[in-house]
Amino acid sequence: YGDPLNTANAVRTTNWIIKSADDGNYGITGLPPTNCHRKSKLNGMAEMDWNVPENDYNYEYTMEHTIYLRLPHSLVHGDSYTVEINANTNSDVLSRTIDYDIFNSRSEAVHLNRVGFLNDSSIKAVDLYMWMGDGGARDYAAFVGNKVYIYNVDTGETQEVGTVAFWKRRGSDVFWYDLTASDVWKADFTGFTTPGTYRIAIDDIGCSEDFEIRGDVYFEPYRVSTLGYFYMRIGQDSLDTVSYTHLTLPT
């Protein structure tokens, strides 16, 4: 609803200012980013009336845009920052203040199994990578060796559980598609087995979404998937019965 994002203005560095009363690198006058990148994807579509000349329906759609700002200085854990956005971008939010805290600042670069992990010696790890649209893949080579922490969501306690390491080069994935479009790093915390609700946090990056560690963490998704196959089978059997009955009715 309203005017769409002006994608040309949204990637102009002069339309963004980062200020901070805590971080002297930015100060209260602020600094612009050194570069801006855009990633866009379809997030909604409606099939409308029939277009006779085109021999197809008219379609209305909306796009979701992510703007990545390459900063002149790294953010400092514990400091507060205000991002100001020029109105010519058509952004509905023109100012946003964030408190940069690696244990609470979610990063979409930290990928994990949202179902959770077993409280045993099985492998536990998160992947680290980011594809930034026209900015290409984010290079995390300089982050190798950064500390990895596990954060207890309920108690606020943190524990160091490892460091960032390189995992694999970009290449073919499911059905040979290059779905990540990026090299992949990892943060392995296999030795941690205490049940609870956690986040993985990485120095200078941020944290994952919440996940659980417990002995029966896979029970519910297994139950739901099994019931799904069961009800699909019932549905198919019903269709087979209807088809069979239809074919054998007296003529």
Side-chain angles (χ1 to χ4, degrees), residues 5 9-10 12 14-18 67 69 82-96:
L5 183 75
N9 289 340
R12 292 197 174 102
T14 52
N15 287 329
W16 302 81
I17 296 292
I18 301 95
I67 308 299
L69 308 181
T82 297
V83 181
E84 294 185 353
I85 311 169
N86 195 310
N88 68 17
T89 62
N90 290 340
S91 172
D92 59 336
V93 176
L94 300 181
S95 180
R96 176 63 58 86

Side-chain angles (χ1 to χ4, degrees), residues 117-169:
F117 302 89
L118 296 172
N119 60 329
D120 60 15
S121 59
S122 57
I123 293 174
K124 301 178 185 68
V126 300
D127 295 341
L128 176 63
Y129 66 89
M130 172 87 74
W131 184 72
M132 303 184 297
D134 59 18
R138 174 73 162 93
D139 185 359
Y140 286 99
F143 294 80
V144 170
N146 279 27
K147 293 180 179 180
V148 176
Y149 303 91
I150 194 160
Y151 172 84
N152 189 309
V153 173
D154 297 320
T155 67
E157 297 176 340
T158 63
Q159 179 180 331
E160 186 178 338
V161 289
T163 59
V164 173
F166 182 75
W167 181 36
K168 64 185 296 185
R169 298 291 176 192

Side-chain angles (χ1 to χ4, degrees), residues 3-251:
D3 295 326
L5 183 75
N6 187 314
T7 54
N9 289 340
V11 293
R12 292 197 174 102
T13 57
T14 52
N15 287 329
W16 302 81
I17 296 292
I18 301 95
K19 300 179 177 180
S20 176
D22 301 323
D23 187 345
N25 286 321
Y26 292 94
I28 58 175
T29 56
L31 291 175
T34 59
N35 210 336
C36 300
H37 306 296
R38 175 170 62 89
K39 178 171 69 179
S40 301
K41 62 181 180 180
L42 189 74
N43 76 335
M45 185 180 69
E47 185 181 275
M48 309 303 286
D49 54 311
W50 183 256
N51 186 321
V52 176
E54 298 293 334
N55 196 34
D56 196 1
Y57 290 100
N58 290 316
Y59 294 95
E60 292 186 359
Y61 60 91
T62 56
M63 300 291 293
E64 176 182 295
H65 306 285
T66 302
I67 308 299
Y68 298 93
L69 308 181
R70 188 178 294 275
L71 304 182
H73 304 283
S74 297
L75 302 183
V76 177
H77 173 73
D79 285 357
S80 181
Y81 298 85
T82 297
V83 181
E84 294 185 353
I85 311 169
N86 195 310
N88 68 17
T89 62
N90 290 340
S91 172
D92 59 336
V93 176
L94 300 181
S95 180
R96 176 63 58 86
T97 297
I98 63 167
D99 297 318
Y100 179 62
D101 177 346
I102 65 168
F103 301 109
N104 292 286
S105 298
R106 305 293 206 282
S107 172
E108 69 170 287
V110 184
H111 304 258
L112 81 156
N113 170 11
R114 289 294 304 278
V115 173
F117 302 89
L118 296 172
N119 60 329
D120 60 15
S121 59
S122 57
I123 293 174
K124 301 178 185 68
V126 300
D127 295 341
L128 176 63
Y129 66 89
M130 172 87 74
W131 184 72
M132 303 184 297
D134 59 18
R138 174 73 162 93
D139 185 359
Y140 286 99
F143 294 80
V144 170
N146 279 27
K147 293 180 179 180
V148 176
Y149 303 91
I150 194 160
Y151 172 84
N152 189 309
V153 173
D154 297 320
T155 67
E157 297 176 340
T158 63
Q159 179 180 331
E160 186 178 338
V161 289
T163 59
V164 173
F166 182 75
W167 181 36
K168 64 185 296 185
R169 298 291 176 192
R170 66 174 293 183
S172 61
D173 203 333
V174 179
F175 296 111
W176 300 280
Y177 289 104
D178 183 8
L179 298 179
T180 61
S182 172
D183 291 347
V184 181
W185 291 260
K186 66 176 181 177
D188 192 299
F189 58 105
T190 297
F192 189 87
T193 60
T194 306
T197 302
Y198 300 98
R199 297 172 197 151
I200 289 296
I202 302 176
D203 262 347
D204 300 327
I205 294 177
C207 66
S208 70
E209 297 292 340
D210 297 355
F211 63 90
E212 285 188 276
I213 294 178
R214 70 170 195 267
D216 63 346
V217 72
Y218 295 129
F219 172 78
E220 189 61 20
Y222 178 77
R223 186 185 71 84
V224 171
S225 61
T226 302
L227 284 174
Y229 283 115
F230 175 70
Y231 288 127
M232 282 190 287
R233 183 64 259 171
I234 288 179
Q236 186 60 50
D237 286 345
S238 298
L239 290 173
D240 292 345
T241 301
V242 169
S243 177
Y244 178 80
T245 303
H246 173 73
L247 289 173
T248 55
L249 284 174
T251 58

